[in-house]
Amino acid sequence: MPQADLVVVANRLPVDRVTGPDGEQAWRRSPGGLVTALEPVMRQNHGAWVGWPGQADLEVEPFDFEGTHLVPVSLSADDVELYYEGFSNDTIWPLYHDVIAEPRYSRLWWDAYVRVNRRFAGAAASAVAYNGTVWVQDYQLQLVPKMLRELRPDLTIGYFHHIPFPAYGLYSQLPWRRQVLEGLLGADVIGFQRVADAGNFARAVRRQLRFETKASGITVPLADGSTRVARARAFPISIDASSYIELAHRPEVRARAAEIRASLGNPRKILLGVDRLDYTKGIGHRLKAYGELLAEGRLKVEDVTLVQVASPSRERVEAYMQLRDEIELTVSRINGDVDTMGHSAIRYLHQGYPREEMVALFLAADVMLVTALRDGMNLVAKEYVATRTDNRGVLVLSEFTGASDEMGSAIRINPHDIEGLKDSIMRAVEMPGAEQGRRMRALRRRVLEHDVEAWSREFLQAMARARREDANSETAT
Ligand code: G6P
């Protein structure tokens, strides 16, 4: 395989391994928006994607899939436990989400994180052509930019951080706070979801490394006494809005939405929550507010149903096991207290669904509840809005999501304020059609104009600009 001009490096490959009816193994494109967004770019550039195939100890040779060259990085069971479940999801994830759960700091996990990051960097360095571009994705791979620059100084390197970057007071807990900042600063362009995340990062760099920062530029001193510039700024990610709209128009998806409503007993209002089962999502706060509204009689079980899809996630990490127990206890308490033979307060589904079914659910829902305590972006908010082609429906959206910065016409809430959340749910349930229309039109305009294709184009352009600026400053010196 010739080397690629554009290489994406992410913890996961853009495909899932599936077992067919006769036990045969095959690959299927993963459902995520990032994968869909990059598909045309990868095809045009004969791009390559370096990532983990998603199962421990699975050794797979590089292969081509729908126009992209896939380079699997194998992780042993130990790597999965220490690098993925440990350092990525039990240290960085809780720390970067404002310590909602307690981060655990283990030197063994850190060593594995360094080792595995080095493997990803090595695989990317072998896959990319001379003077090529590498785009690293997310918190599992924060050391890759620096490692890659050391291996291949000819490259243009980008890094996009999909989750929040915390305030310095929290970030400074990290025993390896210096190494992580230095790792990220290996990139030419470092992208964040929100302006505030980029600001937190620049502040950490100033406080910890004493490097100079000006607007989005960070001056990084080099060993030979010269300097280079890393640029850190916000690039809010989005969804492939047109594919959601296309699904929302399909007659069979609309029929399925009607079927869902009917199967719930045609309640007057359907409320919906869709999340990975994660402690950052504020599912417990949502249930508390909803349960109290029912207990106080402000909502009646005959009139409303909350559908809560909680897709299984990181099930071997202790904090996730505990969360599942808590949520399932709460759901069954509320249902036990208020259900009737014919009506259920909460339809709880610990399952993942294909995109068609999700769109049918969005179409069936009068109110979408996004109550995250901290969330890099929250794409579900954007997906709901994109599918509401009739400009009806209400989005209740936590201020603590990246999406909230762009979606001022949602009903914005502080999930910690349970009374405020209850009032906002009531307001959403009772909102007149005209006001729904005004708000939904504004929300849809933003999401449709700024889709994930625009996002990836802007990021790739920023990398190309960085390359030109660096070439110019080299000729100038
Ligand atoms: C978040 C992260 C992604 C991650 C996804 C699913 O959205 O930003 O990097 O892939 O969660 O989590 P998982 O651990 O299953 O990859």
Side-chain angles (χ1 to χ4, degrees):
M1 170 75 195
Q3 290 174 315
D5 289 324
L6 174 64
V7 173
V8 168
V9 194
N11 178 52
R12 288 180 187 274
L13 282 176
V15 290
D16 297 314
R17 198 163 167 89
V18 287
T19 310
D22 303 320
E24 77 280 7
Q25 299 279 309
W27 296 100
R28 194 184 48 202
R29 175 173 291 281
S30 322
L34 177 67
V35 176
T36 319
L38 293 181
E39 197 241 7
V41 191
M42 296 300 266
R43 210 183 272 278
Q44 280 157 27
N45 290 280
H46 305 287
W49 188 304
V50 175
W52 173 44
Q55 285 170 30
D57 290 317
L58 184 61
E59 302 267 358
V60 195
E61 286 303 309
F63 61 101
D64 288 328
F65 184 88
E66 297 181 2
T68 305
H69 186 62
L70 303 187
V71 183
V73 174
S74 165
L75 297 184
S76 67
D78 260 7
D79 293 337
V80 172
E81 189 188 328
L82 307 174
Y83 146 80
Y84 170 72
E85 292 164 351
F87 197 80
S88 298
N89 290 323
D90 218 1
T91 302
I92 295 291
W93 183 270
L95 177 65
Y96 283 25
H97 287 87
D98 289 355
V99 190
I100 295 167
E102 195 183 339
R104 293 170 55 197
Y105 301 114
S106 148
R107 285 162 285 180
L108 206 63
W109 292 356
W110 165 253
D111 292 344
Y113 187 76
V114 175
R115 198 172 61 235
V116 173
N117 270 242
R118 190 160 285 130
R119 280 224 302 285
F120 276 88
S126 312
V128 63
Y130 181 73
N131 265 340
T133 299
V134 178
W135 191 4
V136 184
Q137 308 289 330
D138 226 355
Y139 65 100
Q140 302 91 345
L141 302 175
Q142 294 172 101
L143 308 179
V144 169
K146 176 170 187 235
M147 292 171 170
L148 199 51
R149 178 169 296 280
E150 281 166 4
L151 292 168
R152 292 286 303 273
D154 57 296
L155 301 176
T156 302
I157 302 169
Y159 170 90
F160 186 73
H161 193 76
H162 293 250
I163 69 172
F165 195 91
Y168 185 67
L170 293 173
Y171 179 76
S172 55
Q173 286 187 10
L174 186 67
W176 309 278
R177 58 197 183 184
R178 250 189 118 77
Q179 292 95 313
V180 167
L181 293 176
E182 285 168 355
L184 292 168
L185 285 170
D188 297 290
V189 179
I190 308 161
F192 294 93
Q193 300 282 26
R194 299 174 314 148
V195 174
D197 297 316
N200 287 344
F201 174 72
R203 179 141 194 272
V205 168
R206 280 196 302 274
R207 293 285 302 268
Q208 190 62 49
L209 302 176
R210 310 259 161 228
F211 294 174
E212 233 178 81
T213 66
K214 209 187 305 158
S216 62
I218 299 172
T219 309
V220 183
L222 301 174
D224 65 0
S226 65
T227 58
R228 51 174 280 270
V229 177
R231 300 136 186 100
R233 70 169 177 91
F235 294 85
I237 200 169
S238 192
I239 58 163
D240 51 332
S242 55
S243 84
Y244 280 90
I245 295 171
E246 191 267 318
L247 282 172
H249 282 306
R250 278 194 205 168
E252 69 274 19
V253 175
R254 303 192 79 82
R256 175 67 189 140
E259 193 177 277
I260 290 171
R261 281 200 88 97
S263 67
L264 294 170
N266 280 318
R268 203 169 63 78
K269 293 283 175 179
I270 295 176
L271 280 54
L272 176 65
V274 174
D275 311 84
R276 264 187 320 101
L277 187 48
D278 194 297
Y279 49 78
T280 60
K281 303 292 183 183
I283 302 171
H285 294 63
R286 185 182 315 167
L287 294 177
K288 185 160 193 59
Y290 179 64
E292 287 188 13
L293 288 172
L294 287 162
E296 290 162 8
R298 290 171 76 185
L299 289 176
K300 301 230 171 337
V301 71
E302 293 79 15
D303 292 339
V304 289
T305 298
L306 167 64
V307 177
Q308 176 63 57
V309 175
S311 52
S313 184
R314 306 175 190 163
E315 289 182 281
R316 293 185 345 154
V317 178
E318 180 63 35
Y320 289 75
M321 296 181 200
Q322 264 178 30
L323 173 78
R324 182 172 177 195
D325 288 347
E326 274 165 39
I327 296 298
E328 295 185 352
L329 183 69
T330 309
V331 167
S332 50
R333 281 217 175 126
I334 295 173
N335 280 343
D337 283 344
V338 303
D339 278 9
T340 63
M341 286 301 168
H343 298 277
S344 197
I346 306 166
R347 183 63 57 90
Y348 169 79
L349 303 146
H350 184 243
Q351 293 161 52
Y353 293 97
R355 199 181 267 196
E356 287 76 5
E357 182 73 356
M358 291 316 303
V359 173
L361 259 175
F362 290 145
L363 290 177
D366 302 288
V367 176
M368 180 81 213
L369 297 176
V370 178
T371 58
L373 306 176
R374 187 45 91 196
D375 207 336
M377 176 51 65
N378 197 285
L379 293 177
V380 168
K382 293 188 173 181
E383 290 167 3
Y384 176 68
V385 162
T387 61
R388 306 302 301 196
T389 54
D390 64 353
N391 293 313
R392 286 294 177 275
V394 185
L395 173 65
V396 174
L397 179 61
S398 163
E399 288 166 23
F400 298 94
T401 61
S404 164
D405 283 9
E406 297 170 74
M407 303 181 93
S409 297
I411 296 196
R412 286 193 285 187
I413 53 107
N414 169 6
H416 299 283
D417 170 11
I418 300 294
E419 285 307 319
L421 178 54
K422 283 159 66 181
D423 291 345
S424 296
I425 293 175
M426 290 311 296
R427 193 165 158 217
V429 166
E430 288 162 358
M431 188 181 286
E435 185 181 350
Q436 292 182 31
R438 263 197 318 278
R439 288 172 177 268
M440 192 53 81
R441 261 188 292 278
L443 292 170
R444 296 193 77 242
R445 202 174 310 124
R446 167 73 200 180
V447 173
L448 270 49
E449 275 168 14
H450 195 88
D451 65 0
V452 75
E453 205 267 322
W455 170 80
S456 68
R457 193 175 52 236
E458 277 167 30
F459 200 98
L460 290 164
Q461 279 169 357
M463 282 197 276
R465 207 160 42 238
R467 172 189 294 270
R468 281 196 305 275
E469 284 167 9
D470 290 349
N472 287 343
S473 70
E474 264 164 42
T475 21
T477 47

Coordinates of all heavy atoms in Angstrom, one line a residue, residues 287-334:
L287 N -34.2 12.0 36.1 CA -35.2 11.1 36.7 C -35.8 11.7 37.9 O -37.0 11.6 38.2 CB -34.6 9.7 36.9 CG -34.2 8.9 35.7 CD1 -33.5 7.6 36.1 CD2 -35.4 8.6 34.8
K288 N -34.9 12.3 38.7 CA -35.4 12.9 40.0 C -36.5 14.0 39.7 O -37.5 14.0 40.3 CB -34.2 13.5 40.7 CG -34.5 14.1 42.1 CD -33.3 14.2 42.9 CE -33.6 14.5 44.4 NZ -34.4 13.4 45.0
A289 N -36.1 14.9 38.7 CA -37.1 16.0 38.4 C -38.4 15.4 37.9 O -39.5 15.8 38.4 CB -36.5 16.9 37.4
Y290 N -38.3 14.5 37.0 CA -39.5 13.9 36.4 C -40.3 13.1 37.5 O -41.6 13.3 37.5 CB -39.1 12.9 35.3 CG -40.2 12.2 34.5 CD1 -41.1 12.9 33.8 CD2 -40.2 10.8 34.6 CE1 -42.1 12.3 33.1 CE2 -41.2 10.1 33.9 CZ -42.2 10.9 33.2 OH -43.2 10.2 32.5
G291 N -39.6 12.4 38.3 CA -40.3 11.6 39.3 C -41.1 12.5 40.3 O -42.2 12.2 40.7
E292 N -40.5 13.7 40.7 CA -41.1 14.6 41.6 C -42.3 15.2 40.9 O -43.4 15.4 41.6 CB -40.1 15.7 42.0 CG -39.1 15.1 43.0 CD -38.2 16.2 43.6 OE1 -38.6 17.4 43.5 OE2 -37.2 15.9 44.3
L293 N -42.2 15.5 39.6 CA -43.4 16.1 38.9 C -44.6 15.2 38.9 O -45.7 15.6 39.1 CB -43.0 16.5 37.5 CG -42.1 17.7 37.3 CD1 -41.6 17.8 35.8 CD2 -42.8 19.0 37.7
L294 N -44.3 13.9 38.8 CA -45.3 12.9 38.9 C -45.9 12.7 40.3 O -47.1 12.7 40.5 CB -44.8 11.5 38.4 CG -44.6 11.4 36.9 CD1 -43.7 10.2 36.6 CD2 -45.9 11.2 36.1
A295 N -45.0 12.7 41.2 CA -45.4 12.5 42.6 C -46.2 13.7 43.1 O -47.2 13.5 43.9 CB -44.2 12.4 43.5
E296 N -45.9 14.9 42.6 CA -46.6 16.1 43.0 C -47.9 16.3 42.2 O -48.7 17.3 42.4 CB -45.8 17.3 42.9 CG -44.6 17.4 43.9 CD -43.5 18.3 43.4 OE1 -43.7 19.1 42.4 OE2 -42.4 18.3 44.1
G297 N -48.1 15.5 41.2 CA -49.4 15.6 40.4 C -49.3 16.7 39.4 O -50.3 17.0 38.7
R298 N -48.1 17.3 39.2 CA -48.0 18.3 38.1 C -48.0 17.6 36.7 O -48.4 18.2 35.7 CB -46.7 19.1 38.3 CG -46.8 20.0 39.5 CD -45.5 20.7 39.8 NE -45.2 21.8 38.8 CZ -44.0 22.5 38.9 NH1 -43.0 22.1 39.7 NH2 -43.8 23.4 38.0
L299 N -47.5 16.4 36.7 CA -47.7 15.5 35.5 C -48.5 14.3 35.9 O -48.4 13.8 37.1 CB -46.3 15.1 35.0 CG -45.4 16.1 34.3 CD1 -44.1 15.5 34.0 CD2 -46.1 16.7 33.1
K300 N -49.2 13.7 35.0 CA -50.0 12.5 35.2 C -49.5 11.4 34.4 O -49.3 11.6 33.2 CB -51.5 12.8 35.0 CG -52.1 13.9 35.8 CD -53.4 13.4 36.4 CE -53.9 14.4 37.4 NZ -53.0 15.4 38.0
V301 N -49.4 10.2 35.0 CA -48.8 9.1 34.2 C -49.7 8.7 33.0 O -49.2 8.2 32.0 CB -48.6 7.9 35.2 CG1 -49.9 7.2 35.6 CG2 -47.7 6.8 34.6
E302 N -51.0 9.1 33.1 CA -51.9 8.8 31.9 C -51.5 9.7 30.7 O -51.9 9.4 29.6 CB -53.3 9.0 32.3 CG -53.9 8.0 33.3 CD -53.5 8.4 34.7 OE1 -53.0 9.5 35.0 OE2 -53.7 7.5 35.6
D303 N -50.9 10.8 31.0 CA -50.7 11.9 30.0 C -49.3 11.8 29.4 O -49.0 12.3 28.3 CB -50.8 13.3 30.6 CG -52.3 13.5 31.0 OD1 -53.2 12.8 30.4 OD2 -52.5 14.4 31.8
V304 N -48.3 11.4 30.2 CA -46.9 11.5 29.7 C -46.2 10.2 29.9 O -46.5 9.4 30.7 CB -46.1 12.5 30.5 CG1 -46.5 13.9 30.2 CG2 -46.1 12.2 32.0
T305 N -45.2 10.0 29.0 CA -44.2 8.9 29.1 C -42.8 9.4 28.9 O -42.7 10.2 27.9 CB -44.5 7.7 28.1 OG1 -45.8 7.2 28.4 CG2 -43.5 6.6 28.2
L306 N -41.9 9.0 29.7 CA -40.5 9.3 29.4 C -39.9 8.0 28.8 O -39.9 7.0 29.4 CB -39.7 9.7 30.7 CG -38.2 9.8 30.6 CD1 -37.7 10.8 29.6 CD2 -37.6 10.0 32.0
V307 N -39.4 8.2 27.6 CA -38.6 7.1 27.0 C -37.1 7.4 27.3 O -36.6 8.4 26.8 CB -38.8 6.9 25.5 CG1 -38.0 5.8 24.9 CG2 -40.3 6.6 25.2
Q308 N -36.4 6.5 28.0 CA -35.0 6.7 28.3 C -34.2 5.6 27.6 O -34.2 4.5 28.1 CB -34.8 6.8 29.8 CG -33.3 6.9 30.2 CD -32.7 8.2 29.7 OE1 -33.1 9.3 30.0 NE2 -31.6 8.1 28.9
V309 N -33.5 6.0 26.6 CA -32.6 5.0 26.0 C -31.2 5.3 26.6 O -30.7 6.4 26.6 CB -32.4 5.2 24.4 CG1 -31.4 4.3 23.8 CG2 -33.8 5.0 23.8
A310 N -30.6 4.2 27.2 CA -29.3 4.3 27.9 C -28.5 3.3 27.2 O -28.6 2.1 27.6 CB -29.5 4.2 29.4
S311 N -27.6 3.6 26.3 CA -26.9 2.6 25.6 C -25.7 2.1 26.4 O -25.0 2.9 27.1 CB -26.5 3.0 24.2 OG -25.8 4.2 24.3
P312 N -25.5 0.8 26.5 CA -24.4 0.2 27.3 C -23.1 0.8 26.9 O -22.8 1.0 25.7 CB -24.5 -1.3 27.0 CG -25.8 -1.5 26.3 CD -26.2 -0.2 25.7
S313 N -22.2 1.1 27.9 CA -20.9 1.7 27.7 C -19.9 1.3 28.8 O -20.3 1.3 29.9 CB -21.1 3.2 27.6 OG -19.9 3.9 27.3
R314 N -18.7 1.0 28.4 CA -17.6 0.9 29.3 C -18.0 0.0 30.5 O -17.7 0.4 31.7 CB -17.1 2.2 29.7 CG -16.7 3.1 28.5 CD -16.3 4.5 28.8 NE -16.2 5.3 27.6 CZ -16.2 6.6 27.6 NH1 -16.2 7.3 28.7 NH2 -16.1 7.2 26.4
E315 N -18.6 -1.1 30.3 CA -19.3 -1.8 31.3 C -18.4 -2.5 32.3 O -18.8 -3.0 33.3 CB -20.2 -2.9 30.7 CG -21.4 -2.2 30.0 CD -22.3 -3.2 29.4 OE1 -22.0 -3.7 28.3 OE2 -23.4 -3.6 30.1
R316 N -17.1 -2.5 32.0 CA -16.1 -3.1 33.0 C -15.5 -2.1 33.9 O -14.7 -2.5 34.8 CB -15.1 -3.9 32.3 CG -15.7 -5.1 31.5 CD -14.7 -6.0 30.9 NE -13.4 -5.5 30.7 CZ -12.3 -6.3 30.6 NH1 -12.5 -7.6 30.7 NH2 -11.2 -5.7 30.4
V317 N -15.8 -0.8 33.8 CA -15.3 0.2 34.6 C -16.3 0.4 35.8 O -17.5 0.5 35.6 CB -15.1 1.6 33.9 CG1 -14.6 2.7 34.8 CG2 -14.2 1.4 32.7
E318 N -15.7 0.3 37.0 CA -16.5 0.3 38.3 C -17.6 1.4 38.3 O -18.7 1.2 38.7 CB -15.5 0.4 39.5 CG -16.2 0.4 40.8 CD -16.9 -0.9 41.2 OE1 -16.5 -2.0 40.7 OE2 -18.0 -0.9 41.9
A319 N -17.1 2.6 38.0 CA -18.1 3.8 38.1 C -19.3 3.6 37.2 O -20.4 4.0 37.6 CB -17.4 5.1 37.8
Y320 N -19.1 2.9 36.1 CA -20.2 2.7 35.2 C -21.2 1.6 35.7 O -22.4 1.6 35.5 CB -19.7 2.3 33.8 CG -19.1 3.5 33.1 CD1 -17.8 4.0 33.4 CD2 -19.8 4.2 32.1 CE1 -17.3 5.1 32.8 CE2 -19.2 5.3 31.5 CZ -18.0 5.8 31.8 OH -17.4 6.9 31.2
M321 N -20.6 0.6 36.4 CA -21.4 -0.5 37.0 C -22.3 0.1 38.1 O -23.5 -0.2 38.1 CB -20.5 -1.6 37.6 CG -19.6 -2.3 36.6 SD -18.7 -3.5 37.5 CE -17.4 -3.8 36.4
Q322 N -21.7 0.9 38.9 CA -22.4 1.6 40.0 C -23.6 2.4 39.5 O -24.7 2.4 40.0 CB -21.5 2.5 40.8 CG -20.9 1.8 42.0 CD -20.0 2.8 42.7 OE1 -20.1 4.0 42.6 NE2 -18.9 2.2 43.3
L323 N -23.2 3.2 38.4 CA -24.2 4.1 37.8 C -25.4 3.3 37.3 O -26.6 3.7 37.6 CB -23.6 4.9 36.7 CG -24.6 5.7 35.9 CD1 -25.0 7.0 36.7 CD2 -24.1 6.1 34.5
R324 N -25.1 2.2 36.7 CA -26.2 1.4 36.1 C -27.1 0.9 37.2 O -28.4 1.0 37.1 CB -25.6 0.2 35.4 CG -26.7 -0.6 34.8 CD -26.2 -1.7 33.8 NE -27.4 -2.5 33.4 CZ -27.4 -3.7 32.8 NH1 -26.2 -4.2 32.6 NH2 -28.5 -4.3 32.5
D325 N -26.6 0.5 38.3 CA -27.4 0.0 39.5 C -28.3 1.2 40.0 O -29.5 1.0 40.2 CB -26.5 -0.5 40.6 CG -25.9 -1.9 40.3 OD1 -26.4 -2.5 39.3 OD2 -25.0 -2.3 41.0
E326 N -27.7 2.3 40.1 CA -28.4 3.5 40.7 C -29.6 3.9 39.8 O -30.7 4.1 40.2 CB -27.5 4.7 40.7 CG -26.7 4.8 42.0 CD -25.6 5.9 41.8 OE1 -25.8 6.9 41.1 OE2 -24.5 5.6 42.3
I327 N -29.3 4.0 38.5 CA -30.3 4.4 37.5 C -31.4 3.4 37.5 O -32.6 3.7 37.5 CB -29.7 4.6 36.1 CG1 -28.7 5.7 36.1 CG2 -30.8 4.8 35.0 CD1 -29.2 7.1 36.5
E328 N -31.1 2.1 37.4 CA -32.1 1.1 37.3 C -33.0 1.0 38.6 O -34.2 0.7 38.5 CB -31.5 -0.3 36.9 CG -30.9 -0.1 35.5 CD -30.3 -1.3 34.8 OE1 -30.2 -2.3 35.5 OE2 -29.9 -1.2 33.6
L329 N -32.3 1.2 39.7 CA -33.1 1.3 41.0 C -34.1 2.4 40.9 O -35.3 2.3 41.2 CB -32.2 1.4 42.1 CG -32.8 1.4 43.5 CD1 -33.3 0.0 43.9 CD2 -31.8 1.9 44.6
T330 N -33.6 3.6 40.5 CA -34.5 4.8 40.4 C -35.7 4.6 39.5 O -36.8 4.9 39.8 CB -33.7 6.0 40.0 OG1 -32.5 6.1 40.8 CG2 -34.5 7.3 40.1
V331 N -35.4 4.0 38.3 CA -36.4 3.8 37.3 C -37.5 2.9 37.9 O -38.7 3.2 37.8 CB -35.8 3.2 36.0 CG1 -36.9 2.7 35.1 CG2 -35.0 4.2 35.3
S332 N -37.0 1.8 38.5 CA -38.1 0.9 39.0 C -38.8 1.4 40.2 O -40.0 1.1 40.3 CB -37.5 -0.5 39.2 OG -36.4 -0.4 40.0
R333 N -38.2 2.3 41.0 CA -38.9 2.9 42.1 C -40.0 3.8 41.5 O -41.2 3.8 42.0 CB -38.0 3.7 42.9 CG -37.2 2.9 43.9 CD -37.0 3.6 45.2 NE -36.3 2.7 46.1 CZ -35.2 3.0 46.7 NH1 -34.6 4.2 46.6 NH2 -34.7 2.1 47.5
I334 N -39.6 4.7 40.6 CA -40.6 5.6 40.0 C -41.8 4.8 39.4 O -43.0 5.1 39.7 CB -40.0 6.6 39.0 CG1 -39.0 7.5 39.8 CG2 -41.0 7.4 38.3 CD1 -38.2 8.4 38.9

